[in-house]
Amino acid sequence: MSERWALDAVEGGGARLVPLDRDGLPAGPVTTEPDLVAAVRSRPEVGRWVWRSTAGLYPRLLAAGVRVERCYDVEAAEQLLLGHEGRLGEPRSAAAAWARLHDRPVPPDPPARAAEPGAQSSLFDAGPTGPELPFTALLEVYADQERRHGAAEHPDRMRLLTAAESAGALVAAEMHRAGLPWRADVHRALLRELLGERYAGGGEPRRLAELADEVSEAFGRRVRPDLPADVVRAFAEAGIRVRSTRRWELAKHDHPAVAPLLEYKKLYRIWTAHGWSWLQDWVREGRFRPEYVPGGTVSGRWTTNGGGALQIPKVIRQAVVADEGWRLVVADAAQLEPRVLAAISRDPGLMEVAGHADDLYTRLSDRAFPASRDQAKLALLGAIYGQTSGDGLKNLAALRRRYPRAVAYVDDAARAGEEGRVVRTWLGRTSPRSVAAGEAEEAGIPQEEESATGGTGTGTGADARARGRFTRNFVVQGSAADWALLMLAALRRATAGMRAELVFFQHDEVIVHCPAEEADAVAEAIHSAGDLAGRIAFGETPVRFPFTTATVERYSDAK
């Protein structure tokens, strides 16, 4: 029996499938079966399913209790390959790939579907994710993708990236199915404590109304604190120039409106993003089930389609409570990006520093910044993010003398960006040729005030510098995202025989919900998965990828 089988859903709930040989070509006749679930369940020996889209097929299998070990997601692969070929942004559907293969008009991808919180149990529907495509055409696309992987700059790494992205899609579907444990009664009590009573008609709750009155009283006239332009104008009338209502800018000024305004902004965000309406829409039967989007950003980091799962305020995390007799194992990868830089730059000194599980910045300060952990941290993060002005420039010079290969690695990436060239992560995920403001902000890259962060990167000045800062960080952050996919795949495999469930993932943090008696084994599995992912992604290096873990009953107790 072949290790790989191609599979596609057909109208009426059936499936077409065929075994594949080592070259990705059919190794037998195509068969049609009346029940997709039965077709998969009856073939437990299949090592990898090749299908159009995990989001289009796997949830139906999960709903029937069928879990697959591995898959190859054709549409995820197409997006990665397009990026590698300098064509990021072109339609990624299997139908579009087939049209390109035959020089036919390329159909656009369907518009992104908004998540429907009221029907979370069926967020994913089994079936095509784009235009109709014959099964034989899907097989052609897969065979061509095999060829394109072989033509990549580093074929083995690119194949590994596609496998990791496909594994991430399986994890995303399984996390949606499991759901994050959520106590609606605790959430409602928190909202009442923070916001006060709700007024009829859907207006602002009591505490927000009180703070709005305090802001207006401080300015001597009625001011709408939820309208930034109104706030900026009120400060101007008071002789204070502010360019925005961001917390850091308001906090610089001594004015009686600042304190209530900052408190209003914090509570207003909770009310609008995770208030009573959110709770009613998103929490069902004790679970919050966000729709995760693997590779939702150009750097490979995940996003979610609705629900704000990746921005849960710390105070609201009190509502994330394990089931009775169960625990949450919350794990954070320690100082992930500096460790990734050590691995991808192959800098001997930095690899030695990152070869220990204890605090990396303390070890760094012992070697390059005596008695100053803060300076060591600022220098290393400044190299990664491009913050090199003022004291940062002096710290970077010290870092460059001690760890020249590490600093040269990100400097070269920045130079490539400034010159309009693409850069790649260690496994081959490719940066876009232009940088949108949202992409830079998503990456956490500070932008110069005069930069629009939206140029082509081929010119000079602010746009080129902005792109350079983006590519400088992209090679590190993107490689960290690649590592995280492999970590999730390893953790998924390690916990396959347990009752434990992965229920949350965000950049470098993972939460596993498990029976209390499995908590120690889960924590050990997380640590092992981190180091295994490092070896698979970056080869045999001294670099360690440790986690800090906490076994708790509620999420808020982990930090």
Side-chain angles (χ1 to χ4, degrees):
M1 187 66 71
S2 172
E3 177 187 349
R4 288 179 293 178
W5 280 66
L7 172 75
D8 201 12
V10 299
E11 189 174 353
R16 286 194 184 91
L17 59 165
V18 66
L20 302 173
D21 63 20
R22 300 181 67 177
D23 296 321
L25 300 173
V30 174
T31 60
T32 301
E33 299 193 11
D35 190 317
L36 181 145
V37 172
V40 175
R41 181 179 278 136
S42 64
R43 293 172 173 83
E45 72 282 2
V46 173
R48 188 186 302 272
W49 289 99
V50 176
W51 53 40
R52 183 189 303 203
S53 165
T54 303
L57 283 176
Y58 194 39
R60 179 174 167 187
L61 297 175
L62 286 175
V66 177
R67 181 181 185 274
V68 305
E69 184 67 22
R70 293 186 298 174
C71 78
Y72 176 101
D73 189 311
V74 168
E75 296 190 347
E78 187 65 18
Q79 180 155 305
L80 292 172
L81 289 166
L82 285 171
H84 195 276
E85 295 158 358
R87 301 160 67 185
L88 191 67
E90 292 187 24
R92 56 171 289 204
S93 72
W98 184 82
R100 279 189 292 266
L101 187 59
H102 291 277
D103 293 322
R104 297 191 177 187
V106 178
D109 287 338
R113 174 188 52 77
E116 300 174 10
Q120 290 187 73
S121 61
S122 59
L123 273 177
F124 296 102
D125 297 318
T129 55
E132 291 294 331
L133 187 70
F135 189 54
T136 54
L138 181 65
L139 298 178
E140 284 187 61
V141 169
Y142 174 63
D144 183 62
Q145 288 183 347
E146 288 285 275
R147 177 194 62 77
R148 291 158 68 194
H149 276 94
E153 184 176 357
H154 297 285
D156 289 342
R157 293 186 197 174
M158 194 66 191
R159 291 188 183 100
L160 178 58
L161 177 61
T162 296
E165 193 91 327
S166 298
L170 294 176
V171 172
E174 290 168 2
M175 288 200 304
H176 171 79
R177 178 75 185 175
L180 186 64
W182 202 283
R183 285 278 300 275
D185 59 331
V186 173
H187 192 152
R188 280 191 288 269
L190 285 169
L191 294 177
R192 183 174 180 84
E193 177 183 345
L194 292 169
L195 302 173
E197 298 84 359
R198 302 168 68 185
Y199 294 140
E204 291 184 341
R206 175 180 54 79
R207 182 58 184 146
L208 284 179
E210 292 173 349
L211 288 168
D213 289 342
E214 291 182 34
V215 170
S216 296
E217 183 177 350
F219 282 120
R221 70 169 180 84
R222 190 65 186 169
V223 174
R224 289 276 303 276
D226 58 324
L227 298 179
D230 200 13
V231 173
V232 169
R233 187 163 48 250
F235 273 113
E237 292 170 357
I240 298 174
R241 182 174 179 266
V242 296
R243 285 173 292 207
S244 74
T245 59
R246 292 176 179 174
R247 172 176 292 273
W248 63 267
E249 183 165 0
L250 295 180
K252 295 187 299 185
H253 301 286
D254 182 17
H255 188 278
V258 170
L261 185 58
L262 292 179
E263 180 69 8
Y264 179 95
K265 286 169 61 67
K266 180 181 72 174
L267 295 181
Y268 183 83
R269 177 165 180 78
I270 290 174
W271 176 53
T272 56
H274 289 92
W276 291 279
S277 295
W278 180 94
L279 181 60
Q280 180 178 348
D281 287 343
W282 287 99
V283 176
R284 292 284 186 279
E285 299 175 349
R287 292 292 185 271
F288 167 39
R289 293 184 171 86
E291 181 180 343
Y292 292 93
V293 183
T297 67
V298 294
S299 69
R301 283 186 166 187
W302 290 22
T303 59
T304 56
N305 185 8
L310 305 187
Q311 297 87 31
I312 302 174
K314 289 184 178 180
V315 66
I316 299 299
R317 294 176 187 178
Q318 296 178 59
V320 181
V321 183
D323 293 345
E324 186 174 356
W326 287 53
R327 297 292 185 270
L328 300 171
V329 181
V330 182
D332 282 293
Q335 298 144 345
L336 176 59
E337 289 189 357
R339 294 176 185 276
V340 167
L341 175 58
I344 62 180
S345 69
R346 296 303 205 252
D347 186 291
L350 193 57
M351 284 196 294
E352 192 280 327
V353 169
H356 303 269
D358 55 1
D359 183 64
L360 181 145
Y361 299 123
T362 298
R363 285 187 173 271
L364 188 67
S365 68
D366 291 343
R367 288 158 176 75
F369 300 90
S372 181
R373 180 186 182 277
D374 288 344
Q375 274 190 326
K377 181 177 181 179
L378 287 173
L380 192 49
L381 293 182
I384 294 172
Y385 285 91
Q387 295 172 288
T388 56
S389 60
D391 288 342
L393 192 60
K394 180 178 66 176
N395 293 335
L396 182 61
L399 193 74
R400 181 176 284 111
R401 287 192 298 270
R402 186 79 187 200
Y403 308 106
R405 290 181 65 176
V407 178
Y409 195 94
V410 289
D411 281 350
D412 289 346
R415 189 175 305 111
E418 291 173 1
E419 295 172 356
R421 294 181 282 124
V422 299
V423 298
R424 306 191 201 281
T425 67
W426 184 258
L427 294 187
R429 193 184 304 270
T430 307
S431 67
R433 291 193 177 275
S434 61
V435 183
E439 291 166 347
E441 184 176 353
E442 175 275 326
I445 301 170
Q447 303 301 307
E448 295 179 351
E449 290 181 4
E450 71 273 21
S451 172
T453 321
T456 63
T458 59
T460 59
D463 287 347
R465 291 194 298 273
R467 179 170 167 76
R469 286 194 301 276
F470 179 83
T471 51
R472 171 188 293 274
N473 181 249
F474 180 93
V475 294
V476 180
Q477 186 184 98
S479 296
D482 297 347
W483 169 89
L485 287 169
L486 292 167
M487 178 274 296
L488 288 173
L491 180 58
R492 176 179 182 262
R493 175 169 291 189
T495 57
M498 305 181 189
R499 296 171 65 196
E501 299 174 324
L502 277 75
V503 294
F504 184 78
F505 168 64
Q506 175 183 247
H507 310 329
D508 56 3
E509 180 182 30
V510 64
I511 300 179
V512 179
H513 186 222
C514 65
E517 60 271 18
E518 290 184 355
D520 290 344
V522 166
E524 179 60 33
I526 292 171
H527 289 290
S528 297
D531 282 329
L532 177 59
R535 291 194 298 273
I536 294 174
F538 309 119
E540 293 295 336
T541 73
V543 179
R544 295 283 307 279
F545 293 91
F547 279 88
T548 58
T549 60
T551 299
V552 296
E553 294 188 28
R554 66 179 68 220
Y555 185 16
S556 57
D557 292 339
K559 296 179 180 179

